Amino acid sequence: MRTRLLYAFFGVLSTVVGVALGHLVASLTNPSASPVLAVGSQVIDLTPTPMKEWAIAHFGSNDKTILIGNVFAGVLLLAAVAGLLALKRFVYGAALLVLLVAVAAFTALNRPSADVGDLLPSLAAAVAGVASLWWLDRSRHPETGAANSAPAVEGAGTNRRTVLVAAGVLTAAAAVMGGAGRWITSYRTRPENVQLPAAKDAAKALPAGLDDRVPGISPFRTPTADFYRVDTRLSLPVVSIDGWSLTIDGDVDNEVTFTFDDLLAMDLIERDITLTCVSNDIGGKYIGAARWLGVPLKTLLDKAGIDNTRADQIVSTDVDGMTIGTPFDLATDGRDAMIAVGMNGAALPREHGFPARMIVPGLYGFISATKWITRITLTTYADTDVYWTQRDWATDAPIKISSRIDTPKPLSTVKKGRTVIGGVAWAQHQGGIDKVEVRIDGSAWQEARLGPSGGQDYWRQWYLPWTAEPGQHSLAVRAVSSQGDQTAVRATPFPDGSSGIQEVVVTVE
Ligand SMILES: Nc1nc2c(c(=O)[nH]1)N[C@H]1C(S)=C(S)[C@@H](COP(=O)(O)O)O[C@H]1N2
Ligand SMILES: [Mo]
C-alpha cells in the first residue's frame, strides 16, 4: 500500500515537473503555447454552455478558475494513475504521461494562431515528465539502475534517502521553473513590453492642431498620461496577458475564445476617436481624444457567427465580472467599433484597460468602452440587466453634441487687449463639428475658427480672437453639426448625458 501511494506521488510529481518546465519554455518562446494555458482555454471553449452558466452563477467571475481547477484535479488524478502504472511497468506509466502531454500539445496546436514551434513546451514537458518518473523509480531500486550506482550497502534507509533526495530535488526544480515561467511571462507581457503590430488599416497622420497657436487649449490628441479615467474600481486590475482570453458567447452560432496573440494576428485598424463619459458635466473634463489600435468588433462577431442572432444587446464583462451593455444595432451599423489593444502608439496602460477594451465611436463610455474585457455575450435587454442599468442609467446613450471653453478659465482674470477664446467641440459619429459659435456678453453668436478635422469621430479645436475690454464678461459656446445643434436645454448627466450651454465669467483688467 505504501509503495502504491509512493508511486502515485511519483506520477503527480513528475507531471508537475513536466508542466513547470513546459510553462518555463513557453514563457521564453510563446506564452500562450504553455500546456497549462492551452489546456485551460480549451477547457473553457469546450465546456457546454449550461455548465458554464451554472459555474458563472455559482462562482461569479471565478468561474474560469474553478473550471480550470477541476481539469487540473483530473489531470493530477491521471498523473497518479501513471505513477501506479509505472510501478507495474515503467513504460506503461511513461506512456500515460506522454499521452497526457500529447493532449496538451494538441490543444496548443489547435489555437487559431498556432505554429509548429508551439509544440516545444509540450515536448519539453513530456521529456521532463518521463525523465522525472524514471529517476524517481530508479531512486527506489538503486541496485537495478544505472542512474544510481552507489555501492549497494542496501538497507531501507539508503533507499529512503535516495528517494527523498530525488523527490526533494524535483519539487524544488518544479517550483523554481514554474515560478520563473510565471515571472518571465508576466514580465514579458507588461504593457510597457508588449510589441504591437502595425495596423493593416492605419489612420492618416493627425494634422497639427491649434496646440501651439492657442495657449491653454486642449491638445488635439490627449497625451495618454493626461487621459481622464472613470471606472468603478478602487484598485487597478493587474491583468497579465498570460492566461487572459476573450470569449464571445450567448446567442451566436458558435462560441469562440481568443488569446491576446490571436487578436494581434488579425487585421488591425487604427482610428482617432474621442471618448466621452456620460458623467461629464457641461464644461467638464471627462473627455479625451486618442488614437486607438484594435480588431474590428465585426471581425470577432463574424467568427462567432451572428447572422441568426436575436440579440439586441452586446454585454461585455471585465475581469472582475463588471458588465456593460451596448446596443447591438449601433455597435454593428458600420461604425469603427473595435476591441482595442493599443492607445496612442503603445499597448493600453493598465488604467485604460490592459490588455484589451471595447471602443465604440459615438457612444458614452458607460455603454461601450469596457476595459479589461474578457467576455462578449450576445443577449437581449429583456434578458440581461448590466451594472449601470441596474442603477437606472439609460441603455441607449449616444454622445450629445457639445462644446467646451478651455481658455480663458472660468472666473480667471485676463489682461485687457487682444486675446483669444478657445476650446474643443464634439459630435462623434453625428457628422463631426460643422461650426462653433461664441457669444460674448449676450450679444449675437459669432462664428469661431475651426482647427483641422481629425474625422467625424474626433473632437475639433476652435478659437475666436477677442479684444477684451476691462470689466466682467460672460462667454458662451455652442456647437453645430450636420446632424443637429448643441441644445441649450439643461440636463444633468443622469440618466443619458448632460446638455446645455457652457457660460464662463471672466474679469478683464
Ligand atoms: N471594466 C470597466 N470598464 C469601464 C468602466 C468601468 O467601470 N469598468 N467605466 C466605463 C466608463 S463610465 C467610461 S467613461 C470609460 C472611461 O474610460 P477611460 O477610463 O479609459 O477614460 O470606461 C468605461 N469602461
Ligand atoms: Mo463614463
Side-chain angles (χ1 to χ4, degrees):
M1 185 59 206
R2 277 186 55 197
T3 318
R4 292 236 184 94
L5 264 180
L6 188 65
Y7 269 80
F9 167 72
F10 284 177
V12 169
L13 181 55
S14 307
T15 306
V16 170
V17 170
V19 166
L21 182 66
H23 202 53
L24 177 61
V25 170
S27 76
L28 297 168
T29 55
N30 175 8
S32 37
S34 162
V36 192
L37 300 177
V39 171
S41 51
Q42 192 74 4
V43 169
I44 304 274
D45 263 14
L46 295 180
T47 310
T49 308
M51 191 171 147
K52 221 175 283 185
E53 273 160 9
W54 182 87
I56 292 169
H58 287 80
F59 308 115
S61 50
N62 287 327
D63 62 316
K64 277 191 188 178
T65 322
I66 303 284
L67 288 174
I68 295 180
N70 283 341
V71 169
F72 284 111
V75 168
L76 290 186
L77 203 72
L78 286 172
V81 172
L84 290 175
L85 284 176
L87 177 58
K88 256 204 146 79
R89 267 191 77 178
F90 177 77
V91 279
Y92 293 168
L96 181 53
L97 281 191
V98 171
L99 191 74
L100 274 176
V101 175
V103 172
F106 178 76
T107 50
L109 270 190
N110 222 8
R111 295 171 315 110
S113 66
D115 65 49
V116 189
D118 293 347
L119 279 179
L120 213 61
S122 301
L123 212 68
V127 171
V130 171
S132 303
L133 189 60
W134 183 79
W135 188 27
L136 288 166
D137 185 32
R138 282 308 119 120
S139 71
R140 266 200 77 243
H141 311 288
E143 71 280 10
T144 58
N148 192 332
S149 46
V153 218
E154 293 300 273
T158 320
N159 283 354
R160 190 175 303 150
R161 203 175 310 128
T162 42
V163 170
L164 275 176
V165 167
V169 167
L170 287 175
T171 306
V176 169
M177 292 188 301
R182 255 187 90 99
W183 188 84
I184 294 170
T185 302
S186 76
Y187 182 82
R188 280 182 66 197
T189 60
R190 283 180 314 154
E192 296 82 356
N193 286 356
V194 171
Q195 293 283 329
L196 297 177
K200 176 97 175 206
D201 178 358
K204 283 191 307 211
L206 192 70
L210 305 176
D211 306 19
D212 297 336
R213 281 163 55 201
V214 181
I217 202 167
S218 299
F220 198 27
R221 174 179 294 154
T222 313
T224 303
D226 300 338
F227 206 94
Y228 81 94
R229 176 181 163 203
V230 170
D231 52 62
T232 57
R233 297 286 313 213
L234 293 174
S235 67
L236 211 53
V238 176
V239 185
S240 156
I241 290 175
D242 166 21
W244 177 88
S245 65
L246 174 63
T247 299
I248 304 188
D249 62 8
D251 192 4
V252 292
D253 294 342
N254 46 283
E255 229 179 273
V256 282
T257 295
F258 307 101
T259 64
F260 192 69
D261 287 345
D262 294 338
L263 295 187
L264 297 195
M266 298 178 194
D267 289 349
L268 303 181
I269 58 170
E270 185 184 54
R271 296 289 184 269
D272 293 317
I273 297 167
T274 297
L275 200 64
T276 312
C277 182
V278 69
S279 300
N280 196 40
D281 275 313
I282 291 297
K285 57 182 178 2
Y286 295 139
I287 179 165
R291 174 159 286 197
W292 306 95
L293 175 76
V295 182
L297 182 61
K298 176 141 199 319
T299 306
L300 301 175
L301 293 180
D302 283 348
K303 288 187 195 278
I306 54 162
D307 286 348
N308 306 311
T309 192
R310 284 148 308 165
D312 60 10
Q313 180 179 218
I314 299 177
V315 170
S316 32
T317 308
D318 80 0
V319 278
D320 296 302
M322 195 268 186
T323 49
I324 283 182
T326 310
F328 174 84
D329 51 350
L330 297 182
T332 56
D333 68 359
R335 69 183 74 203
D336 290 320
M338 67 168 99
I339 297 301
V341 292
M343 176 181 187
N344 291 340
L348 294 175
R350 298 206 190 276
E351 289 83 351
H352 299 293
F354 181 79
R357 72 177 304 172
M358 196 185 288
I359 295 287
V360 183
L363 302 182
Y364 284 119
F366 83 115
I367 60 158
S368 67
T370 320
K371 303 192 272 190
W372 317 293
I373 192 169
T374 59
R375 188 186 298 273
I376 294 175
T377 307
L378 278 88
T379 177
T380 61
Y381 284 103
D383 277 350
T384 314
D385 266 353
V386 296
Y387 184 88
W388 298 109
T389 9
Q390 286 159 12
R391 287 155 181 78
D392 296 328
W393 287 78
T395 51
D396 205 340
I399 298 172
K400 295 181 182 173
I401 297 166
S402 198
S403 53
R404 176 175 80 191
I405 298 174
D406 291 331
T407 180
K409 296 263 170 275
L411 303 177
S412 62
T413 302
V414 178
K415 274 240 297 274
K416 71 169 197 236
R418 283 181 61 84
T419 178
V420 61
I421 307 165
V424 284
W426 56 94
Q428 295 100 315
H429 222 76
Q430 297 168 73
I433 290 296
D434 270 359
K435 193 158 78 168
V436 170
E437 294 176 323
V438 175
R439 187 180 62 196
I440 302 171
D441 297 327
S443 58
W445 289 102
Q446 307 176 48
E447 195 169 336
R449 300 176 198 178
L450 297 181
S453 167
Q456 70 145 333
D457 294 333
Y458 210 63
W459 65 9
R460 195 108 181 226
Q461 296 168 310
W462 58 266
Y463 72 103
L464 184 73
W466 177 39
T467 308
E469 307 285 352
Q472 248 199 13
H473 296 282
S474 141
L475 314 172
V477 64
R478 73 175 181 195
V480 173
S481 93
S482 61
Q483 290 167 44
D485 302 353
Q486 178 177 351
T487 174
V489 178
R490 292 220 149 251
T492 57
F494 181 84
D496 64 356
S498 63
S499 71
I501 278 170
Q502 186 192 12
E503 203 144 5
V504 309
V505 173
V506 296
T507 306
V508 176
E509 287 178 353

